[in-house]
C-alpha cells in the first residue's frame, strides 16, 4: 500500500455545523496524522470541508492514494461516496466516539451509503484523548495501513448469526401478517426522499416491490398549498386535544422566546395536511423528508411526526401511523412490519424511530470488566408518546421544546420525553449486494439513575426524546457491522415473529446481539 495517505473532511451541507465542528476536526486530524506517522506513513490533507457533491467529485476523484475520512460530526453520505465510488483505493472512515460531536453517527450513515453502492471501505473509532495511546485503535489502523482493509470477525462473542429458532406460534403470526401484505401490498406515502445525504435509506420501487411494499411520492410543496385550506376549527380542536391529553409545551422559555402557541398551531396545521394525504392515498405508513429548502418557510415536522406515531392524536382512528423521519425507508419498513405483528399479538402497536447516537458501559456495573453496553437512542422526530407513558390513550410525559434555532430558524417544537423501561425488539432494513437485508435483535429499554440520565441527555440533544437501551451487543459489534445510523424499536418481544416475517417476505436476515 502507498506510503502516502490522504486525509479528508466529509462535511454537512450547511455551513454552520461545519464551522462549529472545525476545532474538533482540527484536533482529530492532528491526532490521526500523529497515528499514521507513527506507523511509518506520510499523511497529507485534502483542503477544506467537502460540503457539496461536486467537491467530493473534484477533490477525491483524482486521488489514487489510500484515503481516510475524518468523522467528528454529522456529514452527508454523498460528500464521500460521490468522490470514491468506481475507485478501489483503500478507504477508511475514522471516527471519534462522542455524543456531543457524533462522528460515529456520520460514520454509520456514510458506511451504509458506501455499502449500498458496493464500494469497499473500512471503519475505525476511538474515544481516547490521545489516539496513539489506544492500542486497539492503533492495531486496527496498522492493519489498514498494511493490507488496505480492516477485517472484523463476525463470530466474536456469538453476536452475529443468519438464522434464529422460530416457534410454531410465532411462525403462524408471521404467516398471517405476510398473507395480509400479499393481499394488499403496503403503501408508503413519501413526502420527499433522501434526507441529509442518507442515500442508503432510499430503496425505490425496484427493491420495495420485491418485498410487499411500494411507494407514492408527494411533493412537499403540497404541505404549503394544502395547509392554507385547513379549517381553523380543526387546528383549534387539535390544540385543545393535545393539551387535554397532557402534552406539555415549553413556550417562551429562555433561549426559545419565539416559540409560542402560534408556532405549535402551524405544526398542527402540517400534521393535519399529512393526515389528510395519508387518507387521500390510503397509505399504510409515511416517510417525511427533512427538506432543507422548507426550513425557512415551515416549522419543523417533529411534533407532527411524533403525533402520527401515537395512537393518542388529533382525529385518530385509534391506531398509530408509522412515520419515519428523514423519509427513511430502511426504518419505515420494519416499523410497519412491527406494527402489524404487535397488533396480531395483542400488544400496543406503536414503534419508535431513533438515531444510534452514542453509548457507554452500564453505570450500575461501574468497575466491572463485563458491564453491558448501553446505547443512547435519540432522534428529534418519530418517537411516539407510548414510549414515555405506556398509555395508548395519553400524551402525558411528552414535552415539546423549541428545536434548536441554529438549525431551525422557523420556530417549532419537538416531541420529547424519557422512554420507560421494558423489553424491546429492534430492526433495520438496508441494501447490501443489491438486495434488501433486515437486521433484527432483542433488547431492553433501561431506566438510568437521574444524574446519569441527565448527563447523557445533556451530552447529546436535550430537546429530543431519550431512550437508553441495551441492544444485547457490544459497542464494537455495532460499530463494526451495523449499516445505518437509525433503528426501529418496539416494546415487547416480537423477535421470532419478525425473523419469520422478514424471511417470508424475502429479506435476507441477520441477527445482531445475543438474541
Amino acid at each position: 500500500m502507498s506510503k502516502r495517505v490522504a486525509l479528508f473532511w466529509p462535511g454537512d451541507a450547511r455551513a454552520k455545523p461545519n464551522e462549529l465542528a472545525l476545532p474538533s476536526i482540527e484536533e482529530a486530524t492532528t491526532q490521526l496524522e500523529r497515528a499514521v506517522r507513527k506507523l511509518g506513513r506520510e499523511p497529507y490533507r485534502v483542503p477544506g470541508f467537502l460540503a457539496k457533491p461536486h467537491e467530493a467529485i473534484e477533490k477525491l476523484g483524482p486521488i489514487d492514494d489510500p484515503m481516510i475520512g475524518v468523522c467528528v460530526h454529522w456529514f452527508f453520505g454523498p460528500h464521500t461516496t460521490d468522490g470514491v465510488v468506481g475507485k478501489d483505493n483503500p478507504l477508511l472512515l475514522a471516527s471519534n466516539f462522542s455524543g456531543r460531536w457524533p462522528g460515529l453517527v456520520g460514520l454509520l450513515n456514510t458506511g451504509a451509503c458506501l455499502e449500498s453502492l458496493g464500494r469497499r471501505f473500512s471503519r475505525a473509532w476511538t474515544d481516547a484523548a490521545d489516539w496513539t495511546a489506544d492500542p486497539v485503535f492503533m492495531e486496527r489502523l496498522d492493519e489498514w495501513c498494511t493490507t488496505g482493509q480492516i477485517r472484523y470477525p463476525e463470530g466474536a462473542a456469538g453476536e452475529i448469526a443468519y438464522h434464529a429458532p422460530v416457534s410454531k406460534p410465532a411462525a403462524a403470526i408471521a404467516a398471517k401478517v405476510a398473507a395480509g401484505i400479499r393481499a394488499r401490498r403496503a403503501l408508503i406515502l413519501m413526502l420527499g426522499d433522501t434526507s441529509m445525504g442518507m442515500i442508503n435509506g432510499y430503496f425505490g420501487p425496484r427493491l420495495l416491490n420485491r418485498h410487499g411494499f411500494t411507494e407514492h411520492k408527494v411533493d412537499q410543496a403540497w404541505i404549503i398549498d394544502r395547509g392554507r385550506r385547513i379549517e381553523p376549527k380543526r387546528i383549534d380542536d387539535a390544540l385543545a386535544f393535545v393539551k387535554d391529553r397532557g402534552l406539555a409545551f415549553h413556550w417562551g422559555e429562555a433561549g426559545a422566546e419565539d416559540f409560542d402557541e402560534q408556532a405549535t398551531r402551524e405544526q398542527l396545521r402540517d400534521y393535519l395536511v399529512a393526515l389528510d394525504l395519508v387518507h387521500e392515498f390510503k397509505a399504510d405508513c409515511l416517510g417525511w423528508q427533512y427538506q432543507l429548502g422548507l426550513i425557512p418557510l415551515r416549522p419543523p415536522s417533529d411534533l407532527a411526526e411524533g403525533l402520527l406515531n401515537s395512537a393518542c392524536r388529533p382525529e385518530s382512528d385509534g391506531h398509530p401511523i408509522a412515520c419515519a423521519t428523514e423519509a427513511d425507508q430502511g426504518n419505515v419498513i420494519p416499523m410497519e412490519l412491527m406494527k402489524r405483528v404487535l397488533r396480531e399479538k395483542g400488544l400496543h402497536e406503536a414503534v419508535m424511530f431513533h438515531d444510534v447516537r452514542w453509548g457507554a458501559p452500564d453505570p450500575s456495573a461501574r468497575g466491572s470488566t463485563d458491564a453491558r453496553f448501553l446505547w443512547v437512542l435519540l432522534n428529534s422526530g418519530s418517537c411516539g408518546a407510548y414510549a414515555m407513558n405506556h398509555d395508548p390513550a395519553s400524551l402525558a410525559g411528552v414535552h415539546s421544546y423549541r428545536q434548536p434555532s441554529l438549525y431551525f430558524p422557523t420556530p417549532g417544537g419537538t416531541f420529547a420525553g424519557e422512554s420507560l423501561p421494558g423489553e424491546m425488539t429492534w430492526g433495520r432494513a438496508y441494501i447490501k449486494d443489491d438486495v434488501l437485508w433486515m437486521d433484527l435483535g432483542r433488547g431492553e429499554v433501561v431506566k438510568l439513575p437521574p444524574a446519569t440520565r441527565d448527563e447523557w441527555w445533556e451530552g447529546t440533544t436535550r430537546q429530543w426524546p431519550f431512550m437508553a437501551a441495551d441492544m444485547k451487543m457490544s459497542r464494537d459489534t455495532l460499530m463494526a457491522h451495523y449499516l445505518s445510523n437509525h433503528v426501529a424499536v418496539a416494546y415487547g418481544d416480537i423477535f421470532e415473529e419478525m425473523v419469520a416475517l422478514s424471511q417470508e417476505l424475502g429479506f435476507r436476515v441477520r441477527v445482531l446481539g445475543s438474541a
Side-chain angles (χ1 to χ4, degrees), residues 311-328:
C312 183
R313 54 185 173 81
E315 301 184 17
S316 177
D317 62 357
H319 302 281
I321 298 170
C323 176
T325 195
E326 295 163 337
D328 184 356

Side-chain angles (χ1 to χ4, degrees), residues 64-307:
D64 293 323
D65 293 321
M67 293 188 287
I68 303 178
V70 187
C71 311
V72 303
H73 71 325
W74 174 257
F75 53 92
F76 286 29
H79 299 168
T80 297
T81 63
D82 287 351
V84 302
V85 169
K87 301 169 66 68
D88 61 0
N89 49 328
L91 173 63
L92 174 67
L93 301 179
S95 170
N96 63 1
F97 199 84
S98 164
R100 180 64 67 190
W101 293 105
L104 71 101
V105 184
L107 180 154
L108 290 170
N109 171 63
T110 295
C113 294
L114 290 163
E115 185 66 57
S116 74
L117 297 170
R119 175 49 158 105
R120 284 201 312 167
F121 73 102
S122 297
R123 33 178 143 181
W125 56 94
T126 180
D127 57 6
D130 179 354
W131 291 23
T132 64
D134 181 342
V136 175
F137 173 78
M138 290 301 295
E139 181 181 338
R140 291 167 178 166
L141 183 61
D142 186 33
E143 180 183 353
W144 182 79
C145 286
T146 304
T147 70
Q149 58 184 307
I150 302 173
R151 295 178 176 85
Y152 291 101
E154 290 200 345
E159 291 187 335
I160 298 181
Y162 294 90
H163 61 85
V166 175
S167 68
K168 286 185 178 179
I173 288 174
K176 185 174 181 181
V177 173
I181 291 173
R182 292 193 182 103
R184 183 190 187 277
R185 69 176 63 248
L187 174 60
I188 310 169
L189 181 68
M190 296 290 291
L191 298 179
D193 62 64
T194 315
S195 293
M196 305 288 286
M198 286 175 268
I199 58 173
N200 69 89
Y202 180 68
F203 304 157
R206 184 177 67 88
L207 292 176
L208 290 173
N209 278 277
R210 299 177 188 174
H211 304 281
F213 283 79
T214 191
E215 65 169 31
H216 176 66
K217 289 184 185 174
V218 174
D219 194 300
Q220 284 200 28
W222 286 23
I223 294 176
I224 296 175
D225 178 51
R226 300 256 180 134
R228 295 170 180 152
R229 292 178 249 160
I230 296 293
E231 292 292 333
K233 186 178 185 307
R234 291 181 70 193
I235 300 175
D236 293 340
D237 291 347
L239 182 60
F241 179 92
V242 297
K243 291 169 73 174
D244 177 71
R245 297 306 190 277
L247 204 160
F249 292 98
H250 295 259
W251 293 322
E253 294 185 346
E257 290 80 5
D258 60 349
F259 179 42
D260 56 16
E261 181 179 304
Q262 184 57 37
T264 297
R265 291 176 64 87
E266 289 303 307
Q267 289 184 288
L268 291 170
R269 182 190 303 276
D270 291 353
Y271 162 80
L272 292 166
V273 170
L275 188 64
D276 289 349
L277 289 168
V278 167
H279 292 157
E280 177 180 344
F281 291 101
K282 296 185 178 180
D284 298 283
C285 48
L286 178 68
W288 196 323
Q289 182 190 36
Y290 172 37
Q291 195 173 95
L292 291 175
L294 278 185
I295 288 174
L297 306 176
R298 296 303 303 156
S301 58
D302 304 276
L303 177 68
E305 294 179 41
L307 287 171

Side-chain angles (χ1 to χ4, degrees), residues 7 9 25-34 45 70:
L7 309 185
W9 294 354
I25 204 165
E26 284 278 13
E27 167 64 18
T29 305
T30 300
Q31 294 272 4
L32 195 53
E33 287 170 334
R34 289 176 55 213
R45 298 190 186 190
V70 187

